Amino acid sequence: MIAMRHVLAAAIDAPDTPARELSPLVRRLQELSEDIEKLEVRQFEDLKEKERTSSEDTPWELMDI
């Protein structure tokens, strides 16, 4: 997805890109950026949840040693 974002950005910046193509490219770039952001937030929340659940104190028993 990140590579697609770079390709779209390059196409938008290219001087030979027709003007009629700019609007759909920009729209797609915005959608893709939003999707990437949502995935990053989800990944961050999953990591925080994993840290929270793994760092809780759990009772231990002598047999664990």
Side-chain angles (χ1 to χ4, degrees):
M1 291 179 103
I2 293 173
M4 287 174 53
R5 182 173 61 183
H6 291 294
V7 170
L8 287 170
I12 291 169
D13 290 338
D16 60 337
T17 301
R20 68 179 180 276
E21 298 297 325
L22 289 176
S23 180
L25 288 171
V26 169
R27 187 177 324 114
R28 183 63 186 128
L29 180 62
Q30 289 173 333
E31 292 170 354
L32 192 58
S33 294
E34 290 172 2
D35 290 344
I36 291 171
E37 184 177 341
K38 288 176 187 176
L39 288 172
E40 288 174 344
V41 167
R42 183 176 172 191
Q43 184 180 19
F44 178 76
E45 290 172 350
D46 289 347
L47 180 63
K48 285 295 188 184
E49 178 66 21
K50 185 177 180 181
E51 287 177 0
R52 186 187 67 76
T53 58
S54 66
S55 66
E56 291 180 2
D57 289 336
T58 56
W60 63 275
E61 297 182 14
L62 187 55
M63 297 296 291
D64 294 336
I65 298 177

Short mmCIF file of all heavy atoms in Angstrom, two decimals:
data_model
loop_
_atom_site.label_atom_id
_atom_site.label_comp_id
_atom_site.label_asym_id
_atom_site.label_seq_id
_atom_site.Cartn_x
_atom_site.Cartn_y
_atom_site.Cartn_z
N MET A 1 0.82 -1.19 0.00
CA MET A 1 0.00 0.00 0.00
C MET A 1 0.86 1.26 0.00
O MET A 1 0.51 2.23 -0.65
CB MET A 1 -0.94 0.01 1.20
CG MET A 1 -2.03 -1.04 1.16
SD MET A 1 -3.08 -0.98 2.62
CE MET A 1 -4.49 -0.16 1.90
N ILE A 2 1.95 1.19 0.76
CA ILE A 2 2.83 2.35 0.80
C ILE A 2 3.49 2.56 -0.56
O ILE A 2 3.64 3.70 -1.01
CB ILE A 2 3.87 2.20 1.93
CG1 ILE A 2 3.14 2.24 3.28
CG2 ILE A 2 4.92 3.29 1.87
CD1 ILE A 2 4.00 1.94 4.48
N ALA A 3 3.87 1.47 -1.20
CA ALA A 3 4.45 1.58 -2.54
C ALA A 3 3.44 2.17 -3.52
O ALA A 3 3.80 2.99 -4.38
CB ALA A 3 4.93 0.22 -3.01
N MET A 4 2.18 1.76 -3.39
CA MET A 4 1.14 2.32 -4.26
C MET A 4 1.00 3.82 -4.03
O MET A 4 0.80 4.59 -4.97
CB MET A 4 -0.20 1.63 -3.99
CG MET A 4 -0.27 0.21 -4.52
SD MET A 4 -1.80 -0.65 -4.06
CE MET A 4 -3.06 0.47 -4.59
N ARG A 5 1.11 4.23 -2.76
CA ARG A 5 1.02 5.66 -2.44
C ARG A 5 2.15 6.43 -3.13
O ARG A 5 1.93 7.51 -3.68
CB ARG A 5 1.06 5.86 -0.93
CG ARG A 5 0.92 7.30 -0.50
CD ARG A 5 0.79 7.46 0.97
NE ARG A 5 1.97 6.96 1.65
CZ ARG A 5 2.11 6.93 2.97
NH1 ARG A 5 1.13 7.34 3.74
NH2 ARG A 5 3.20 6.46 3.52
N HIS A 6 3.35 5.85 -3.12
CA HIS A 6 4.48 6.51 -3.78
C HIS A 6 4.28 6.59 -5.30
O HIS A 6 4.61 7.61 -5.92
CB HIS A 6 5.79 5.79 -3.46
CG HIS A 6 6.22 5.94 -2.03
ND1 HIS A 6 6.60 7.13 -1.49
CD2 HIS A 6 6.32 5.03 -1.03
CE1 HIS A 6 6.92 6.97 -0.22
NE2 HIS A 6 6.75 5.69 0.09
N VAL A 7 3.73 5.54 -5.87
CA VAL A 7 3.47 5.54 -7.32
C VAL A 7 2.44 6.60 -7.67
O VAL A 7 2.60 7.35 -8.65
CB VAL A 7 3.01 4.14 -7.79
CG1 VAL A 7 2.50 4.17 -9.21
CG2 VAL A 7 4.15 3.13 -7.65
N LEU A 8 1.37 6.68 -6.89
CA LEU A 8 0.35 7.69 -7.14
C LEU A 8 0.91 9.10 -6.99
O LEU A 8 0.63 9.98 -7.81
CB LEU A 8 -0.84 7.49 -6.20
CG LEU A 8 -1.74 6.30 -6.48
CD1 LEU A 8 -2.72 6.09 -5.35
CD2 LEU A 8 -2.47 6.49 -7.80
N ALA A 9 1.71 9.31 -5.95
CA ALA A 9 2.30 10.63 -5.74
C ALA A 9 3.21 11.01 -6.91
O ALA A 9 3.20 12.16 -7.37
CB ALA A 9 3.07 10.66 -4.43
N ALA A 10 3.97 10.04 -7.40
CA ALA A 10 4.84 10.30 -8.54
C ALA A 10 4.03 10.62 -9.79
O ALA A 10 4.39 11.52 -10.57
CB ALA A 10 5.75 9.11 -8.80
N ALA A 11 2.92 9.92 -9.98
CA ALA A 11 2.07 10.18 -11.14
C ALA A 11 1.44 11.57 -11.06
O ALA A 11 1.30 12.26 -12.07
CB ALA A 11 0.99 9.11 -11.25
N ILE A 12 1.06 11.98 -9.86
CA ILE A 12 0.48 13.31 -9.68
C ILE A 12 1.52 14.39 -9.97
O ILE A 12 1.22 15.41 -10.59
CB ILE A 12 -0.10 13.46 -8.25
CG1 ILE A 12 -1.33 12.56 -8.10
CG2 ILE A 12 -0.43 14.91 -7.93
CD1 ILE A 12 -1.82 12.41 -6.68
N ASP A 13 2.75 14.16 -9.55
CA ASP A 13 3.81 15.14 -9.75
C ASP A 13 4.41 15.14 -11.15
O ASP A 13 5.10 16.08 -11.53
CB ASP A 13 4.93 14.91 -8.73
CG ASP A 13 4.51 15.27 -7.31
OD1 ASP A 13 3.55 16.05 -7.16
OD2 ASP A 13 5.14 14.76 -6.37
N ALA A 14 4.15 14.10 -11.92
CA ALA A 14 4.73 13.99 -13.25
C ALA A 14 4.17 15.08 -14.16
O ALA A 14 2.96 15.29 -14.21
CB ALA A 14 4.46 12.62 -13.84
N PRO A 15 5.04 15.75 -14.89
CA PRO A 15 4.56 16.83 -15.77
C PRO A 15 3.75 16.33 -16.97
O PRO A 15 2.97 17.09 -17.54
CB PRO A 15 5.85 17.51 -16.24
CG PRO A 15 6.92 16.51 -16.03
CD PRO A 15 6.48 15.62 -14.91
N ASP A 16 3.89 15.05 -17.30
CA ASP A 16 3.16 14.54 -18.47
C ASP A 16 1.82 13.90 -18.11
O ASP A 16 1.14 13.35 -18.97
CB ASP A 16 4.03 13.53 -19.24
CG ASP A 16 4.43 12.34 -18.39
OD1 ASP A 16 4.43 12.47 -17.14
OD2 ASP A 16 4.75 11.29 -18.97
N THR A 17 1.40 14.00 -16.84
CA THR A 17 0.10 13.47 -16.44
C THR A 17 -0.99 14.42 -16.92
O THR A 17 -0.96 15.61 -16.62
CB THR A 17 0.02 13.33 -14.90
OG1 THR A 17 1.06 12.46 -14.46
CG2 THR A 17 -1.32 12.76 -14.46
N PRO A 18 -1.95 13.89 -17.69
CA PRO A 18 -3.04 14.75 -18.19
C PRO A 18 -3.86 15.34 -17.03
O PRO A 18 -4.07 14.70 -16.00
CB PRO A 18 -3.90 13.81 -19.02
CG PRO A 18 -3.05 12.60 -19.28
CD PRO A 18 -2.06 12.52 -18.17
N ALA A 19 -4.32 16.54 -17.21
CA ALA A 19 -5.10 17.23 -16.18
C ALA A 19 -6.35 16.45 -15.80
O ALA A 19 -6.76 16.44 -14.64
CB ALA A 19 -5.47 18.62 -16.67
N ARG A 20 -6.97 15.77 -16.78
CA ARG A 20 -8.20 15.02 -16.50
C ARG A 20 -7.95 13.83 -15.56
O ARG A 20 -8.87 13.30 -14.96
CB ARG A 20 -8.84 14.55 -17.80
CG ARG A 20 -8.05 13.49 -18.54
CD ARG A 20 -8.73 13.02 -19.81
NE ARG A 20 -7.95 12.02 -20.47
CZ ARG A 20 -6.93 12.24 -21.29
NH1 ARG A 20 -6.57 13.48 -21.56
NH2 ARG A 20 -6.27 11.24 -21.84
N GLU A 21 -6.68 13.41 -15.44
CA GLU A 21 -6.33 12.28 -14.58
C GLU A 21 -5.97 12.70 -13.16
O GLU A 21 -5.92 11.87 -12.26
CB GLU A 21 -5.14 11.51 -15.19
CG GLU A 21 -5.42 10.90 -16.54
CD GLU A 21 -6.51 9.83 -16.49
OE1 GLU A 21 -6.57 9.10 -15.48
OE2 GLU A 21 -7.28 9.75 -17.45
N LEU A 22 -5.72 13.97 -12.94
CA LEU A 22 -5.28 14.43 -11.63
C LEU A 22 -6.33 14.23 -10.54
O LEU A 22 -6.01 13.76 -9.45
CB LEU A 22 -4.86 15.90 -11.69
CG LEU A 22 -3.56 16.18 -12.43
CD1 LEU A 22 -3.30 17.67 -12.51
CD2 LEU A 22 -2.40 15.46 -11.78
N SER A 23 -7.56 14.57 -10.82
CA SER A 23 -8.61 14.43 -9.81
C SER A 23 -8.78 12.99 -9.34
O SER A 23 -8.79 12.74 -8.13
CB SER A 23 -9.93 14.99 -10.35
OG SER A 23 -10.95 14.86 -9.38
N PRO A 24 -8.91 12.00 -10.23
CA PRO A 24 -9.02 10.62 -9.75
C PRO A 24 -7.76 10.13 -9.02
O PRO A 24 -7.86 9.37 -8.05
CB PRO A 24 -9.23 9.80 -11.03
CG PRO A 24 -9.64 10.75 -12.08
CD PRO A 24 -9.11 12.08 -11.67
N LEU A 25 -6.60 10.58 -9.47
CA LEU A 25 -5.36 10.18 -8.80
C LEU A 25 -5.29 10.74 -7.38
O LEU A 25 -4.92 10.04 -6.44
CB LEU A 25 -4.14 10.63 -9.61
CG LEU A 25 -3.86 9.87 -10.90
CD1 LEU A 25 -2.76 10.57 -11.70
CD2 LEU A 25 -3.48 8.43 -10.62
N VAL A 26 -5.65 12.01 -7.25
CA VAL A 26 -5.63 12.64 -5.92
C VAL A 26 -6.65 11.97 -5.01
O VAL A 26 -6.37 11.70 -3.84
CB VAL A 26 -5.89 14.16 -6.04
CG1 VAL A 26 -6.13 14.78 -4.66
CG2 VAL A 26 -4.72 14.84 -6.73
N ARG A 27 -7.83 11.69 -5.53
CA ARG A 27 -8.87 11.04 -4.74
C ARG A 27 -8.39 9.67 -4.25
O ARG A 27 -8.54 9.32 -3.08
CB ARG A 27 -10.15 10.89 -5.55
CG ARG A 27 -11.32 10.36 -4.74
CD ARG A 27 -12.62 10.26 -5.53
NE ARG A 27 -12.81 11.34 -6.49
CZ ARG A 27 -12.84 11.17 -7.82
NH1 ARG A 27 -12.69 9.96 -8.35
NH2 ARG A 27 -13.03 12.19 -8.63
N ARG A 28 -7.79 8.92 -5.15
CA ARG A 28 -7.29 7.59 -4.79
C ARG A 28 -6.15 7.68 -3.78
O ARG A 28 -6.06 6.88 -2.86
CB ARG A 28 -6.84 6.83 -6.04
CG ARG A 28 -6.38 5.44 -5.77
CD ARG A 28 -7.50 4.57 -5.19
NE ARG A 28 -6.98 3.29 -4.81
CZ ARG A 28 -7.15 2.72 -3.62
NH1 ARG A 28 -7.88 3.32 -2.71
NH2 ARG A 28 -6.61 1.57 -3.33
N LEU A 29 -5.30 8.69 -3.95
CA LEU A 29 -4.20 8.90 -3.01
C LEU A 29 -4.75 9.21 -1.61
O LEU A 29 -4.25 8.68 -0.61
CB LEU A 29 -3.29 10.03 -3.49
CG LEU A 29 -2.09 10.36 -2.61
CD1 LEU A 29 -1.15 9.17 -2.50
CD2 LEU A 29 -1.36 11.57 -3.16
N GLN A 30 -5.78 10.02 -1.54
CA GLN A 30 -6.40 10.34 -0.25
C GLN A 30 -7.00 9.09 0.38
O GLN A 30 -6.83 8.85 1.58
CB GLN A 30 -7.47 11.41 -0.42
CG GLN A 30 -6.93 12.78 -0.71
CD GLN A 30 -8.03 13.77 -1.03
OE1 GLN A 30 -9.11 13.41 -1.50
NE2 GLN A 30 -7.74 15.05 -0.82
N GLU A 31 -7.72 8.29 -0.41
CA GLU A 31 -8.32 7.06 0.11
C GLU A 31 -7.25 6.11 0.62
O GLU A 31 -7.39 5.51 1.69
CB GLU A 31 -9.15 6.38 -0.98
CG GLU A 31 -10.38 7.12 -1.40
CD GLU A 31 -11.03 6.54 -2.64
OE1 GLU A 31 -10.46 5.62 -3.25
OE2 GLU A 31 -12.12 7.02 -3.02
N LEU A 32 -6.20 5.96 -0.15
CA LEU A 32 -5.12 5.06 0.22
C LEU A 32 -4.42 5.53 1.49
O LEU A 32 -4.11 4.73 2.38
CB LEU A 32 -4.12 4.95 -0.93
CG LEU A 32 -3.09 3.85 -0.86
CD1 LEU A 32 -3.75 2.49 -0.75
CD2 LEU A 32 -2.20 3.89 -2.08
N SER A 33 -4.20 6.83 1.60
CA SER A 33 -3.57 7.38 2.80
C SER A 33 -4.44 7.15 4.04
O SER A 33 -3.93 6.82 5.11
CB SER A 33 -3.30 8.88 2.62
OG SER A 33 -2.34 9.07 1.61
N GLU A 34 -5.75 7.30 3.88
CA GLU A 34 -6.66 7.03 4.99
C GLU A 34 -6.62 5.56 5.40
O GLU A 34 -6.61 5.25 6.60
CB GLU A 34 -8.09 7.43 4.62
CG GLU A 34 -8.30 8.93 4.51
CD GLU A 34 -9.67 9.29 3.95
OE1 GLU A 34 -10.49 8.37 3.68
OE2 GLU A 34 -9.91 10.49 3.77
N ASP A 35 -6.59 4.67 4.41
CA ASP A 35 -6.52 3.24 4.70
C ASP A 35 -5.23 2.88 5.43
O ASP A 35 -5.24 2.11 6.39
CB ASP A 35 -6.63 2.41 3.42
CG ASP A 35 -8.01 2.46 2.80
OD1 ASP A 35 -8.96 2.88 3.49
OD2 ASP A 35 -8.13 2.09 1.61
N ILE A 36 -4.13 3.46 4.99
CA ILE A 36 -2.84 3.21 5.64
C ILE A 36 -2.87 3.71 7.08
O ILE A 36 -2.42 3.02 8.00
CB ILE A 36 -1.69 3.87 4.84
CG1 ILE A 36 -1.50 3.14 3.51
CG2 ILE A 36 -0.40 3.86 5.65
CD1 ILE A 36 -0.55 3.83 2.55
N GLU A 37 -3.43 4.89 7.28
CA GLU A 37 -3.52 5.45 8.64
C GLU A 37 -4.37 4.56 9.54
O GLU A 37 -4.01 4.30 10.69
CB GLU A 37 -4.08 6.86 8.59
CG GLU A 37 -4.10 7.53 9.94
CD GLU A 37 -4.61 8.96 9.89
OE1 GLU A 37 -4.61 9.55 8.79
OE2 GLU A 37 -4.98 9.47 10.95
N LYS A 38 -5.50 4.07 9.04
CA LYS A 38 -6.36 3.20 9.82
C LYS A 38 -5.62 1.91 10.21
O LYS A 38 -5.73 1.44 11.34
CB LYS A 38 -7.62 2.84 9.05
CG LYS A 38 -8.59 3.98 8.92
CD LYS A 38 -9.77 3.59 8.05
CE LYS A 38 -10.68 4.76 7.77
NZ LYS A 38 -11.78 4.42 6.85
N LEU A 39 -4.88 1.35 9.27
CA LEU A 39 -4.12 0.14 9.56
C LEU A 39 -3.02 0.40 10.59
O LEU A 39 -2.78 -0.44 11.46
CB LEU A 39 -3.51 -0.43 8.28
CG LEU A 39 -4.48 -1.09 7.31
CD1 LEU A 39 -3.77 -1.44 6.01
CD2 LEU A 39 -5.09 -2.33 7.93
N GLU A 40 -2.37 1.54 10.50
CA GLU A 40 -1.33 1.87 11.47
C GLU A 40 -1.92 2.05 12.86
O GLU A 40 -1.34 1.60 13.85
CB GLU A 40 -0.58 3.13 11.04
CG GLU A 40 0.33 2.90 9.85
CD GLU A 40 0.96 4.18 9.32
OE1 GLU A 40 0.48 5.29 9.64
OE2 GLU A 40 1.94 4.06 8.56
N VAL A 41 -3.07 2.71 12.95
CA VAL A 41 -3.73 2.88 14.25
C VAL A 41 -4.13 1.53 14.81
O VAL A 41 -3.92 1.25 15.99
CB VAL A 41 -4.96 3.81 14.11
CG1 VAL A 41 -5.84 3.76 15.35
CG2 VAL A 41 -4.52 5.23 13.82
N ARG A 42 -4.68 0.68 13.96
CA ARG A 42 -5.10 -0.65 14.41
C ARG A 42 -3.89 -1.47 14.89
O ARG A 42 -3.95 -2.14 15.91
CB ARG A 42 -5.80 -1.39 13.27
CG ARG A 42 -6.31 -2.73 13.64
CD ARG A 42 -7.07 -3.35 12.50
NE ARG A 42 -7.41 -4.71 12.80
CZ ARG A 42 -7.89 -5.56 11.94
NH1 ARG A 42 -8.12 -5.19 10.70
NH2 ARG A 42 -8.16 -6.79 12.27
N GLN A 43 -2.79 -1.38 14.15
CA GLN A 43 -1.59 -2.10 14.54
C GLN A 43 -1.07 -1.59 15.88
O GLN A 43 -0.67 -2.38 16.74
CB GLN A 43 -0.52 -1.93 13.46
CG GLN A 43 0.75 -2.70 13.71
CD GLN A 43 1.78 -2.50 12.61
OE1 GLN A 43 1.70 -1.54 11.84
NE2 GLN A 43 2.72 -3.39 12.53
N PHE A 44 -1.09 -0.27 16.08
CA PHE A 44 -0.66 0.32 17.33
C PHE A 44 -1.55 -0.14 18.49
O PHE A 44 -1.05 -0.51 19.55
CB PHE A 44 -0.66 1.84 17.23
CG PHE A 44 -0.26 2.54 18.49
CD1 PHE A 44 1.06 2.58 18.88
CD2 PHE A 44 -1.21 3.15 19.29
CE1 PHE A 44 1.44 3.22 20.05
CE2 PHE A 44 -0.85 3.79 20.46
CZ PHE A 44 0.48 3.83 20.84
N GLU A 45 -2.87 -0.14 18.27
CA GLU A 45 -3.80 -0.58 19.31
C GLU A 45 -3.61 -2.06 19.63
O GLU A 45 -3.66 -2.44 20.81
CB GLU A 45 -5.23 -0.30 18.89
CG GLU A 45 -5.57 1.18 18.86
CD GLU A 45 -6.93 1.46 18.26
OE1 GLU A 45 -7.56 0.54 17.67
OE2 GLU A 45 -7.38 2.62 18.36
N ASP A 46 -3.38 -2.88 18.62
CA ASP A 46 -3.14 -4.30 18.85
C ASP A 46 -1.86 -4.51 19.66
O ASP A 46 -1.81 -5.36 20.55
CB ASP A 46 -3.05 -5.07 17.53
CG ASP A 46 -4.38 -5.20 16.83
OD1 ASP A 46 -5.43 -4.93 17.46
OD2 ASP A 46 -4.38 -5.58 15.63
N LEU A 47 -0.83 -3.74 19.36
CA LEU A 47 0.42 -3.84 20.08
C LEU A 47 0.23 -3.43 21.54
O LEU A 47 0.73 -4.10 22.44
CB LEU A 47 1.49 -2.97 19.42
CG LEU A 47 2.86 -2.97 20.06
CD1 LEU A 47 3.47 -4.36 20.02
CD2 LEU A 47 3.76 -1.98 19.36
N LYS A 48 -0.48 -2.34 21.76
CA LYS A 48 -0.75 -1.88 23.13
C LYS A 48 -1.55 -2.93 23.90
O LYS A 48 -1.29 -3.19 25.07
CB LYS A 48 -1.49 -0.55 23.13
CG LYS A 48 -0.63 0.61 22.78
CD LYS A 48 0.41 0.78 23.85
CE LYS A 48 1.18 2.06 23.64
NZ LYS A 48 2.26 2.21 24.62
N GLU A 49 -2.54 -3.53 23.25
CA GLU A 49 -3.35 -4.56 23.90
C GLU A 49 -2.49 -5.77 24.24
O GLU A 49 -2.61 -6.35 25.33
CB GLU A 49 -4.50 -4.98 22.99
CG GLU A 49 -5.37 -6.08 23.54
CD GLU A 49 -6.15 -5.68 24.79
OE1 GLU A 49 -6.34 -4.48 25.02
OE2 GLU A 49 -6.56 -6.59 25.53
N LYS A 50 -1.61 -6.14 23.35
CA LYS A 50 -0.73 -7.28 23.59
C LYS A 50 0.21 -6.99 24.76
O LYS A 50 0.43 -7.85 25.62
CB LYS A 50 0.08 -7.60 22.34
CG LYS A 50 0.93 -8.82 22.47
CD LYS A 50 1.63 -9.13 21.17
CE LYS A 50 2.48 -10.38 21.31
NZ LYS A 50 3.20 -10.70 20.08
N GLU A 51 0.75 -5.78 24.81
CA GLU A 51 1.62 -5.39 25.92
C GLU A 51 0.85 -5.39 27.23
O GLU A 51 1.37 -5.81 28.26
CB GLU A 51 2.23 -4.01 25.67
CG GLU A 51 3.29 -3.99 24.61
CD GLU A 51 3.82 -2.58 24.36
OE1 GLU A 51 3.33 -1.62 25.01
OE2 GLU A 51 4.69 -2.44 23.50
N ARG A 52 -0.37 -4.89 27.18
CA ARG A 52 -1.18 -4.81 28.40
C ARG A 52 -1.48 -6.20 28.94
O ARG A 52 -1.38 -6.45 30.13
CB ARG A 52 -2.48 -4.06 28.13
CG ARG A 52 -3.31 -3.81 29.38
CD ARG A 52 -4.66 -3.21 29.04
NE ARG A 52 -5.53 -4.11 28.32
CZ ARG A 52 -6.20 -5.15 28.87
NH1 ARG A 52 -6.07 -5.40 30.15
NH2 ARG A 52 -6.99 -5.90 28.14
N THR A 53 -1.85 -7.11 28.06
CA THR A 53 -2.22 -8.44 28.53
C THR A 53 -1.00 -9.28 28.91
O THR A 53 -1.10 -10.14 29.77
CB THR A 53 -3.02 -9.20 27.45
OG1 THR A 53 -2.25 -9.30 26.26
CG2 THR A 53 -4.34 -8.51 27.18
N SER A 54 0.13 -9.02 28.30
CA SER A 54 1.31 -9.82 28.63
C SER A 54 2.05 -9.30 29.84
O SER A 54 2.83 -10.01 30.45
CB SER A 54 2.26 -9.88 27.43
OG SER A 54 2.80 -8.61 27.17
N SER A 55 1.80 -8.05 30.24
CA SER A 55 2.53 -7.48 31.36
C SER A 55 1.77 -7.60 32.69
O SER A 55 2.28 -7.19 33.72
CB SER A 55 2.86 -6.02 31.09
OG SER A 55 1.68 -5.26 31.03
N GLU A 56 0.59 -8.13 32.64
CA GLU A 56 -0.17 -8.28 33.88
C GLU A 56 0.49 -9.32 34.77
O GLU A 56 1.04 -10.32 34.31
CB GLU A 56 -1.61 -8.71 33.58
CG GLU A 56 -2.42 -7.64 32.90
CD GLU A 56 -3.83 -8.10 32.61
OE1 GLU A 56 -4.18 -9.24 32.97
OE2 GLU A 56 -4.58 -7.32 32.02
N ASP A 57 0.45 -9.05 36.07
CA ASP A 57 0.99 -10.01 37.01
C ASP A 57 0.08 -11.22 37.07
O ASP A 57 -1.14 -11.10 37.21
CB ASP A 57 1.09 -9.39 38.41
CG ASP A 57 2.19 -8.36 38.49
OD1 ASP A 57 3.12 -8.45 37.67
OD2 ASP A 57 2.12 -7.47 39.35
N THR A 58 0.68 -12.35 36.95
CA THR A 58 -0.09 -13.59 37.05
C THR A 58 0.45 -14.37 38.23
O THR A 58 1.65 -14.36 38.52
CB THR A 58 0.05 -14.45 35.78
OG1 THR A 58 1.42 -14.70 35.53
CG2 THR A 58 -0.55 -13.73 34.59
N PRO A 59 -0.45 -15.00 38.93
CA PRO A 59 0.02 -15.78 40.07
C PRO A 59 0.92 -16.93 39.60
O PRO A 59 0.72 -17.48 38.54
CB PRO A 59 -1.26 -16.30 40.71
CG PRO A 59 -2.32 -16.14 39.69
CD PRO A 59 -1.87 -15.10 38.73
N TRP A 60 1.92 -17.23 40.38
CA TRP A 60 2.80 -18.33 40.03
C TRP A 60 2.74 -19.37 41.12
O TRP A 60 2.37 -19.10 42.26
CB TRP A 60 4.22 -17.85 39.79
CG TRP A 60 4.87 -17.25 41.01
CD1 TRP A 60 4.78 -15.97 41.44
CD2 TRP A 60 5.69 -17.94 41.94
NE1 TRP A 60 5.48 -15.81 42.58
CE2 TRP A 60 6.06 -17.00 42.93
CE3 TRP A 60 6.14 -19.24 42.07
CZ2 TRP A 60 6.86 -17.33 44.00
CZ3 TRP A 60 6.95 -19.56 43.14
CH2 TRP A 60 7.31 -18.63 44.08
N GLU A 61 3.11 -20.52 40.74
CA GLU A 61 3.14 -21.62 41.69
C GLU A 61 4.54 -22.17 41.76
O GLU A 61 5.33 -22.01 40.84
CB GLU A 61 2.16 -22.71 41.27
CG GLU A 61 0.72 -22.23 41.26
CD GLU A 61 -0.24 -23.33 40.87
OE1 GLU A 61 0.16 -24.50 40.87
OE2 GLU A 61 -1.38 -22.99 40.54
N LEU A 62 4.85 -22.83 42.84
CA LEU A 62 6.17 -23.40 43.03
C LEU A 62 6.52 -24.39 41.90
O LEU A 62 7.67 -24.48 41.48
CB LEU A 62 6.25 -24.11 44.38
CG LEU A 62 7.61 -24.63 44.81
CD1 LEU A 62 8.66 -23.54 44.79
CD2 LEU A 62 7.54 -25.28 46.17
N MET A 63 5.54 -25.03 41.35
CA MET A 63 5.76 -25.99 40.28
C MET A 63 6.26 -25.32 39.00
O MET A 63 6.84 -25.95 38.14
CB MET A 63 4.46 -26.76 39.97
CG MET A 63 3.97 -27.60 41.14
SD MET A 63 5.10 -28.90 41.58
CE MET A 63 4.94 -29.96 40.17
N ASP A 64 6.06 -24.00 38.89
CA ASP A 64 6.52 -23.27 37.71
C ASP A 64 8.04 -23.15 37.66
O ASP A 64 8.61 -22.91 36.61
CB ASP A 64 5.91 -21.88 37.66
CG ASP A 64 4.41 -21.93 37.44
OD1 ASP A 64 3.93 -22.95 36.90
OD2 ASP A 64 3.73 -20.96 37.78
N ILE A 65 8.67 -23.30 38.78
CA ILE A 65 10.13 -23.16 38.83
C ILE A 65 10.77 -24.36 38.35
O ILE A 65 11.11 -25.14 37.91
CB ILE A 65 10.61 -22.86 40.27
CG1 ILE A 65 10.00 -21.54 40.74
CG2 ILE A 65 12.12 -22.81 40.34
CD1 ILE A 65 10.33 -21.19 42.13
#
